[in-house]
Amino acid sequence: MSYTLTALPTDAQDALLPDLPNEIWIKIFTYLTHGDLQQVKLVCKHWCDLCRVPELKRKSKLVITADNLKDLSQVLKRNPEICKCLQYECLELHGVKVEKDLLTAFEYLGYYIRQLKLHESPVFCVLNDYLPELEELILTRIPSIQSYVNNFSVDLYKFPKFKSLHMSCAGVTYYIKIQLLRNLIYDQCEHLERLSLEFDRSQEDLILYTLELHADSLRQLGIGNHWNSKPSTLIKWQRTFEKFTKLEVLKITGNCSYNWLKIILESLGAENRLRAIDLSGSLELSDDLLKLIVRKWSNSVESLDLMFCQCITDDGLKQLGAIKNKLHHLNLAKCRLTAEGLLQGIVENTNYALRSLNLSHITNMAEGCICLLAQRLCNLTTLNLENCYEAVTDSSLYYIFRYLRRLRHLILDDCIHVTDEGLIGADPSKPAISNLKGLQTLSLCGCCNLSNRSLSEALNFQELRKLELSYCHNISSSAIEGLVQHCPALEDLTISSCFLLADNSVLQIVAGLPRLRKLNVRNCINYNAHSIHYEMTYTYKKLQELTMKGANALEV
């Protein structure tokens, strides 16, 4: 990859910006959010140009709703030059139906769209002639609409670059799913690389035929399996999966049967270099199948999701030792594990590879296990310890704050033994949470022993983007001033069910946090009608999402 962009030849810029190759700048910018990239564009012409490369443009998206569609259409017709500012590759439609204004938007913007996400927007019949560069279609919720059923006429062959279809959401009616599958069969999308679907037994033969047809091109496959295949059908699944050769990501969700899952894993050849395997919810996944995964893909697997796989025992978990130096992401949430199996499986000694670990709802761990994990997983950037209330104490937190300096995302929901002293640091020898200087996400929902001291003395993060404090009943408005002062980069704040917040707290938060886009103060009951009116008037142009349900004034 090579770029020929050059920086502005100004002495000031040369003095401030290091002389790095464009590739390095782009790599740095990939870690930034959409909001940060908008600020980066203002620094200089060089950075503005760099932010237009495809890798970064896809971090931004255009969202069209039933409320803004008409205004967008009118702006485009009055000033076509505005298209230069709306050349987004990712488009989301929310609650939009087929109408003239939508056709206008597609006419001006459709050429630039690579990814289209539809939420309650059954607009398939107008897609064919407006999106020539479409590569990916994502369906999140499209219920059955009687007036629409006879108008399904999308033809995937009209999109020569089409390579990705996601329709695994249960909120999408079967009629639409079947029509799209038939498109994949009849229109011969030769380069389909990603497919995600969810069906019951009545569509099993159609699914098998579709998978067989695209087995030589698919790289990512997601199947929501909520049925038990007949013994006579298992041989068909075996023959189908034996034909896969390029698969890199396999996601199977739902409580599928042991026999079906075994057939899938045994039939997939080792030439499929699986780097990500997600078997969340597979209640019948057993130790022998986990051993099979480790044996087959020990040289390639980097991400393993085993949430709710409750048949796995310590014996199976210990097998992860064979891939621990390759594994970057591990999700063991809601598994029935012990500290012994966990420690022998991934941290028998120092593990430099693992970056993300989810141990949510594993309630039988002791705090000593957390202390060892913190010492031996020195490169962790994401740690989820939700509801690990026996293991997460002030004492174990000290180890996290001391050894996991690279953490960016920390989830401690319902860890009821955490106190102010644990976050602040009881004495100079015990590090505080402020040691995690690069923290971007912090969730403390249900940590009921925290008070205003934590907000004013412990939470001091210049890069924190998301903070959740629901059900922290001892937090009151007097701590808000410290919060907005010490966490100026917050974009998403949840302080729902904090009953001591005064009626002016929302305005204080929004006025003090210039980058805030989402605010949830649900069930904060002390708001009166006057303050809500004032706050809505002040904030509606700034916030993208404000949740205030449960306030007394809203019940009048």
Side-chain angles (χ1 to χ4, degrees):
M1 180 174 60
S2 177
Y3 300 94
T4 58
L5 305 172
T6 56
L8 289 177
T10 62
D11 295 338
Q13 180 177 308
D14 291 340
L16 294 175
L17 304 180
D19 186 16
L20 298 177
N22 291 320
E23 291 85 354
I24 301 299
W25 282 121
I26 292 171
K27 181 64 176 178
I28 293 171
F29 293 162
T30 59
Y31 292 97
L32 303 181
T33 64
H34 167 74
D36 287 336
L37 287 175
Q38 303 314 303
Q39 298 298 314
V40 164
K41 289 180 181 179
L42 303 177
V43 173
C44 64
K45 185 178 184 298
H46 180 212
W47 282 15
C48 184
D49 289 338
L50 285 176
C51 288
R52 293 193 176 101
V53 301
E55 298 96 307
L56 299 178
K57 286 185 67 175
R58 294 200 175 193
K59 294 175 70 71
S60 303
K61 62 186 177 183
L62 176 64
V63 180
I64 298 179
T65 69
D67 296 325
N68 66 21
L69 175 58
K70 184 176 181 179
D71 291 337
L72 175 63
S73 173
Q74 292 177 349
V75 168
L76 290 171
K77 286 188 289 188
R78 285 199 306 262
N79 184 15
E81 290 295 315
I82 199 71
C83 287
K84 295 179 180 179
C85 301
L86 296 174
Q87 294 177 7
Y88 293 98
E89 295 188 4
C90 302
L91 172 66
E92 291 187 14
L93 299 182
H94 290 254
V96 174
K97 295 182 174 61
V98 176
E99 56 182 283
K100 188 175 180 180
D101 289 328
L102 178 63
L103 299 182
T104 299
F106 278 165
E107 182 180 350
Y108 284 96
L109 306 174
Y111 178 80
Y112 308 103
I113 296 170
R114 305 291 189 274
Q115 181 193 86
L116 176 64
K117 180 181 291 187
L118 302 179
H119 182 80
E120 296 187 344
S121 300
V123 299
F124 298 100
C125 61
V126 298
L127 300 182
N128 294 335
D129 300 319
Y130 291 98
L131 310 176
E133 300 295 315
L134 186 67
E135 298 177 5
E136 182 173 15
L137 178 61
I138 302 172
L139 311 183
T140 58
R141 175 171 169 77
I142 303 182
S144 179
I145 300 175
Q146 189 64 37
S147 62
Y148 160 72
V149 166
N150 296 324
N151 292 323
F152 188 96
S153 60
V154 64
D155 297 315
L156 295 180
Y157 75 90
K158 295 228 175 154
F159 312 115
K161 298 182 180 180
F162 191 78
K163 63 178 67 173
S164 180
L165 176 60
H166 297 263
M167 51 179 181
S168 61
C169 180
V172 180
T173 180
Y174 280 128
Y175 174 82
I176 295 174
K177 293 179 178 179
I178 291 172
Q179 294 303 315
L180 286 171
L181 272 187
R182 289 175 177 171
N183 262 260
L184 293 178
I185 293 173
Y186 300 135
D187 296 335
Q188 292 290 306
C189 298
E190 298 180 358
H191 306 293
L192 191 68
E193 295 182 1
R194 299 183 292 274
L195 178 62
S196 178
L197 44 82
E198 180 182 74
F199 286 90
D200 59 27
R201 184 186 293 174
S202 63
Q203 289 84 36
E204 193 167 9
D205 287 335
L206 181 60
I207 293 171
L208 282 165
Y209 186 53
T210 304
L211 295 179
E212 184 176 359
L213 200 61
H214 298 282
D216 60 344
S217 64
L218 279 173
R219 296 180 180 275
Q220 299 183 21
L221 175 63
I223 302 178
N225 187 346
H226 301 284
W227 72 90
N228 291 322
S229 297
K230 298 177 182 179
S232 59
T233 311
L234 290 177
I235 189 66
K236 296 181 181 179
W237 284 100
Q238 177 183 345
R239 291 171 179 170
T240 298
F241 272 80
E242 285 175 348
K243 296 181 179 180
F244 282 87
T245 59
K246 298 179 180 178
L247 210 58
E248 298 176 359
V249 177
L250 175 64
K251 181 177 182 179
I252 298 176
T253 58
N255 186 22
C256 51
S257 69
Y258 171 86
N259 290 333
W260 182 85
L261 188 58
K262 183 179 181 181
I263 285 290
I264 300 302
L265 295 175
E266 287 182 341
S267 302
L268 273 176
E271 68 271 19
N272 296 276
R273 295 186 58 79
L274 292 182
R275 54 182 174 81
I277 303 174
D278 185 347
L279 301 175
S280 301
S282 297
L283 298 179
E284 297 188 28
L285 180 73
S286 58
D287 290 346
D288 62 313
L289 295 184
L290 185 57
K291 293 176 184 177
L292 173 64
I293 291 171
V294 171
R295 184 176 71 250
K296 261 191 174 182
W297 295 290
S298 60
N299 293 323
S300 61
V301 65
E302 298 177 353
S303 175
L304 191 57
D305 281 83
L306 303 173
M307 183 172 68
F308 264 124
C309 296
Q310 298 187 356
C311 285
I312 297 176
T313 68
D314 285 350
D315 182 52
L317 192 60
K318 292 174 185 177
Q319 304 302 313
L320 297 181
I323 59 174
K324 67 178 183 179
N325 293 325
K326 187 75 175 180
L327 211 57
H328 292 166
H329 167 85
L330 180 61
N331 184 354
L332 297 172
K334 301 183 180 180
C335 291
R336 295 174 180 173
L337 308 172
T338 68
E340 179 184 0
L342 184 64
L343 294 174
Q344 291 188 23
I346 59 173
V347 289
E348 191 171 12
N349 43 44
T350 302
N351 183 327
Y352 296 99
L354 202 63
R355 301 291 189 272
S356 174
L357 178 62
N358 188 342
L359 300 176
S360 170
H361 291 82
I362 299 181
T363 57
N364 58 354
M365 287 190 300
E367 63 180 9
C369 178
I370 300 297
C371 297
L372 281 174
L373 287 172
Q375 292 179 73
R376 297 177 182 178
L377 296 174
C378 53
N379 288 325
L380 270 189
T381 59
T382 300
L383 178 61
N384 188 335
L385 297 173
E386 178 183 357
N387 203 37
C388 299
Y389 50 84
E390 293 295 338
V392 180
T393 64
D394 289 350
S395 298
S396 58
L397 283 182
Y398 298 145
Y399 283 81
I400 293 175
F401 302 156
R402 178 179 178 181
Y403 292 102
L404 300 182
R405 299 287 191 90
R406 299 187 179 187
L407 273 182
R408 296 296 179 265
H409 311 281
L410 178 60
I411 314 299
L412 299 174
D413 295 351
D414 298 318
C415 294
I416 57 177
H417 297 305
V418 174
T419 70
D420 294 330
E421 284 71 22
L423 297 186
I424 297 170
D427 59 67
S429 65
K430 296 182 177 180
I433 192 173
S434 56
N435 259 25
L436 310 179
K437 297 186 183 303
L439 206 62
Q440 297 178 5
T441 301
L442 176 62
S443 189
L444 298 166
C445 298
C447 295
C448 52
N449 287 315
L450 299 180
S451 72
N452 291 343
R453 286 188 62 205
S454 291
L455 269 67
S456 57
E457 300 179 38
L459 305 189
N460 189 352
F461 300 106
Q462 297 300 305
E463 298 182 29
L464 193 67
R465 310 298 174 83
K466 183 176 182 179
L467 176 63
E468 298 198 12
L469 296 167
S470 300
Y471 298 98
C472 294
H473 302 309
N474 296 320
I475 292 176
S476 66
S477 296
S478 61
I480 298 300
E481 182 178 355
L483 175 66
V484 300
Q485 180 181 353
H486 298 310
C487 300
L490 277 176
E491 300 173 358
D492 188 339
L493 176 61
T494 298
I495 48 175
S496 61
S497 299
C498 294
F499 305 125
L500 298 180
L501 292 179
D503 60 358
N504 65 342
S505 57
V506 171
L507 186 61
Q508 188 178 4
I509 290 168
V510 176
L513 297 173
R515 297 175 58 176
L516 194 68
R517 294 297 177 264
K518 294 184 179 181
L519 176 62
N520 186 338
V521 288
R522 182 188 179 100
N523 292 332
C524 295
I525 61 176
N526 294 322
Y527 296 114
N528 59 53
H530 176 74
S531 63
I532 289 178
H533 173 75
Y534 185 62
E535 289 159 0
M536 293 294 291
T537 302
Y538 185 87
T539 64
Y540 83 98
K541 290 185 178 180
K542 179 176 181 179
L543 290 179
Q544 295 175 348
E545 185 178 314
L546 174 61
T547 304
M548 300 183 71
K549 185 177 181 180
N552 283 338
L554 297 178
E555 304 297 327
V556 179

